[in-house]
């Protein structure tokens, strides 16, 4: 007989282990996510509804603010609707399961507004009208959707201006009863306060007295994407205690009084700002000193890339397309790359008192003061590579590169073109170097002025004016080029290179971290191309020249002669 196995009873060790494994798996599964709907204009909601279907939506932002949500839940606002309330998401998400604030339906994105509509104005004199009882001082006032200019002169304001004093609002638009007057009455449109892992997506925000979208939580991991921000004091910003790993992408910010994007959190790391369009900032009164397209005062690992920043700033040297202030990338470099900065009234990119910064393959043109600036305090280990700085629009005090302080500042493979010279008495220079920065390396750059250089000077170095020859004799641009870069069409801001350009293969190899620059076959946001894949060397400028390689002759052909 074969051996028999006696039954030993259940294997409780195996059973307990399997049960624990099952519990672990169940705990690891995401909670069932719920989508909530809010509507005040299509299927008018009610806050007593359950909010979980488009036929039973909630009505108000306040209902959202006073509810609780689980990680993975979404709160969607009906498109074409407007809410004049401040949205403050009350719950946090988790890794992989954010709370999503977004939109649904057909048409334009829903608007969360800090504006209140105000009526009842009385005439003061002529086209100036006033309204008493406005107890909250506004930072922004709009008429028929356009931001008015702030001028603190009371009833003496001129056309399309406003002022506020002692609870009285003054506007000069003619009789305002013929249109809509909107007055900022809330600090924020969306305030992400003390809740991490929140995504704000596909909304429009306007009318904020401080910042339209404000991240004020140390938890971090916030995503702000695909939104439109306009007619506010500032666009998208963080508090001083905001967390790390935030992503701000694919937003449009326009017609703000001050900053487009303002990250003001020194301890935050690994934030990303990419693919945003920022335009028409400033020119609306106020302080006239903070018209930065992007301002960043953060920690290591910051990435600013592929943003289009244009047509902004006031006529003061305090306004910049991108302003990096007191950041330290020692534990992870700060990277500014692939951005297009056009027609900014002051500077293109400014690096102030910051360390371990790599700014490369940016295109800067139409600037009013300086294309790139390194200054103040102790900026160090700042690498400026393969940028185009072109077509300054200033009539005086215009520079391609302006350095006032620093250690280990390196400027290579850049093109400075058409920094305008109008007369020898004006201090317009391709390079303006002050205060003897140490370990300054400037080489392999192309510098050219297509018009008559009236002064004959290309640089000012520690107070000494330098011709191209004396500049090279001083040890700068010894491998540089002083010739027409042969752009495809500089007048139309196409700074790719013609086949006859002296910038082709004239740069120096800067290492694998910088080998990808702009592909001229693509439009903005540009694609990238490895410089090592084309030609015999690296280019000077922001664009790779794509070599035209003829096809190889056919092989393996046979012919029959008859």
């Amino acid at each position: 007989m074969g051996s028999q196995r006696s039954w030993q009873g259940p294997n409780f060790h195996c059973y307990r282990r399997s049960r624990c494994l099952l519990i672990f798996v169940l705990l690891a599964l995401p909670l069932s996510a719920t989508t909530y709907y809010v509507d005040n204009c299509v299927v008018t909601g009610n806050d007593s509804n359950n909010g979980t279907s488009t036929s039973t939506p909630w009505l108000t932002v306040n209902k959202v603010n006073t509810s609780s949500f689980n990680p993975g839940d979404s709160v969607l606002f009906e498109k074409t609707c407007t809410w004049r309330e401040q949205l403050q998401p009350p719950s946090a998400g988790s890794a992989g399961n954010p709370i999503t604030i977004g939109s649904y339906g057909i048409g334009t994105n829903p608007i969360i507004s800090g504006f209140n509509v105000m009526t009842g104005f009385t005439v003061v004199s002529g086209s100036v009208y006033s309204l008493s009882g406005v107890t909250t001082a506004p930072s922004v006032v709009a008429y028929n959707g356009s931001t008015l200019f702030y001028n603190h002169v009371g009833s003496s304001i001129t056309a399309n201006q406003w002022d506020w004093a002692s609870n009285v609002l003054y506007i000069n638009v003619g009789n305002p009863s013929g249109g809509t007057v909107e007055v900022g009455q809330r600090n924020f449109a969306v305030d992400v306060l003390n809740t991490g892992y929140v995504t704000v997506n596909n909304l429009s925000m306007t009318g904020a007295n401080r910042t339209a979208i404000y991240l004020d939580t140390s938890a971090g991991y916030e995503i702000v994407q695909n939104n439109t921000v306009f007619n506010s004091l500032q666009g998208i910003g963080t508090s001083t205690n905001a967390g790390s790993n935030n992503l701000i992408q694919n937003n449009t910010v326009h017609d703000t009084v001050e900053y487009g994007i303002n990250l003001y959190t020194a301890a935050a790391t690994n934030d990303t700002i990419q693919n945003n369009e920022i335009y028409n900032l400033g020119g609306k009164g106020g302080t006239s000193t903070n018209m930065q397209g992007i301002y960043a005062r953060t920690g290591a690992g910051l990435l600013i890339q592929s943003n289009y920043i244009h047509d902004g700033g006031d006529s003061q040297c305090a306004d910049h397309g991108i302003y990096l202030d007191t950041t330290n990338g020692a534990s992870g470099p700060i990277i500014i790359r692939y951005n297009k900065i056009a027609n900014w009234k002051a500077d293109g990119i400014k690096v102030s008192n910051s360390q371990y910064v790599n700014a490369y393959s940016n295109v800067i043109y139409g600037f009013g003061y300086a294309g790139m600036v390194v200054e103040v305090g102790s900026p160090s280990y700042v690498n400026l590579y393969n940028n185009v700085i072109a077509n300054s629009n200033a009539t005086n005090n215009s520079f391609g590169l302006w350095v006032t302080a620093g250690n280990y500042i390196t400027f290579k493979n850049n093109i400075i073109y058409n920094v305008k010279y109008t007369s020898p008495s004006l201090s317009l220079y391709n390079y303006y170097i002050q205060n003897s920065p140490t370990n300054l390396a400037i080489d392999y750059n192309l510098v050219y002025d297509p018009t008559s250089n009236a002064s004959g000077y290309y640089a000012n170095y520690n107070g000494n004016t330098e011709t191209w020859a004396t500049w090279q004799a001083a040890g700068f641009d010894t491998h540089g080029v002083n010739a027409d870069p042969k752009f495809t069409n500089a007048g139309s801001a196409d700074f790719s290179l013609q086949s006859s350009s002296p910038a082709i293969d004239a740069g120096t190899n800067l290492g694998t971290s910088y080998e990808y620059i702009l592909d001229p076959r693509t439009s903005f946001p540009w694609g990238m191309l490895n410089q090592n894949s084309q030609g015999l060397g690296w280019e000077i400028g922001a664009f790779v020249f794509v070599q035209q390689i003829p096809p190889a002759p056919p092989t393996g052909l046979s012919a029959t002669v008859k």
Side-chain angles (χ1 to χ4, degrees), residues 315-317 344-347 366-371 391-400 402 418-430 432:
S315 57
Q316 296 191 8
C317 62
W344 211 258
K345 290 185 179 178
D347 304 326
F367 53 93
Y369 282 85
N391 296 347
S392 68
N393 61 19
T395 57
N396 64 299
N397 296 327
S398 180
F399 319 111
W402 187 5
N418 196 23
V419 173
K420 293 186 173 63
Y421 296 78
T422 57
S423 74
S425 63
L426 298 177
S427 56
L428 288 78
Y429 298 100
N430 296 285
Y432 196 67

Side-chain angles (χ1 to χ4, degrees), residues 152-327:
H152 194 39
V153 293
S155 60
S156 298
I157 55 176
T158 58
N160 298 314
Q161 294 185 351
W162 69 276
D163 190 19
W164 178 92
S166 302
N167 299 334
V168 178
L169 176 66
Y170 300 92
I171 61 172
N172 186 335
V173 294
N175 188 342
S177 64
T180 302
V181 179
E182 295 179 293
V183 183
Q185 294 293 279
R186 285 168 286 282
N187 283 338
F188 316 108
V190 177
D191 180 17
V192 182
L193 177 65
N194 298 328
T195 52
Y197 295 98
V198 173
T199 296
V200 181
N201 185 41
N202 287 321
L203 299 179
S204 291
M205 275 78 56
T206 188
N209 276 343
R210 284 183 57 187
T211 307
I213 306 178
Y214 195 57
L215 307 182
D216 189 13
T217 169
S218 59
Y221 294 94
E222 318 293 0
I223 299 176
V224 178
Q225 63 184 11
N226 304 317
N227 303 288
T228 299
V229 174
F230 61 103
N231 290 357
S232 293
L233 181 67
Q234 298 181 13
I236 302 169
T238 65
S239 69
T240 56
N241 69 331
S244 300
N245 301 291
N246 300 303
L247 173 61
I248 299 173
Q249 67 178 1
N250 302 325
N251 303 284
T252 299
V253 180
H254 66 91
D255 290 283
T256 60
V257 179
E258 296 182 352
Y259 304 94
I261 297 175
N262 178 12
L263 300 190
Y264 199 86
T265 312
T269 58
N270 301 315
D271 287 342
T272 297
I273 305 171
Q274 63 185 12
N275 300 321
N276 303 284
E277 182 177 9
I278 302 168
Y279 65 95
N280 203 26
L281 271 61
K284 300 169 182 64
T287 61
S288 299
T289 57
N290 294 316
M291 287 66 183
Q292 328 296 344
I294 296 174
Y295 176 88
R297 189 185 182 103
T298 65
L302 173 66
L303 175 61
I304 301 174
Q305 67 178 2
S306 301
N307 300 284
Y308 182 25
I309 304 167
H310 61 100
D311 300 291
D314 282 346
S315 57
Q316 296 191 8
C317 62
D319 304 335
H320 319 292
I322 296 175
Y323 184 9
L324 195 64
D325 183 15
T326 315
T327 63

Side-chain angles (χ1 to χ4, degrees), residues 510-542:
L510 299 166
T512 56
S513 296
Y514 310 102
E515 63 190 7
Y516 282 91
I517 61 173
L518 305 181
D519 184 344
R521 300 168 299 183
T522 61
S523 57
F524 188 86
W526 298 290
M528 275 63 73
L529 191 61
N530 191 325
Q531 296 203 69
N532 295 317
S533 69
Q534 302 290 322
L536 301 176
W538 283 32
E539 264 69 90
I540 298 176

Side-chain angles (χ1 to χ4, degrees), residues 417-422 448-454 458:
Y417 174 84
N418 196 23
V419 173
K420 293 186 173 63
Y421 296 78
T422 57
Y448 185 71
D449 182 3
T451 60
S452 174
N453 182 343
Y458 284 86

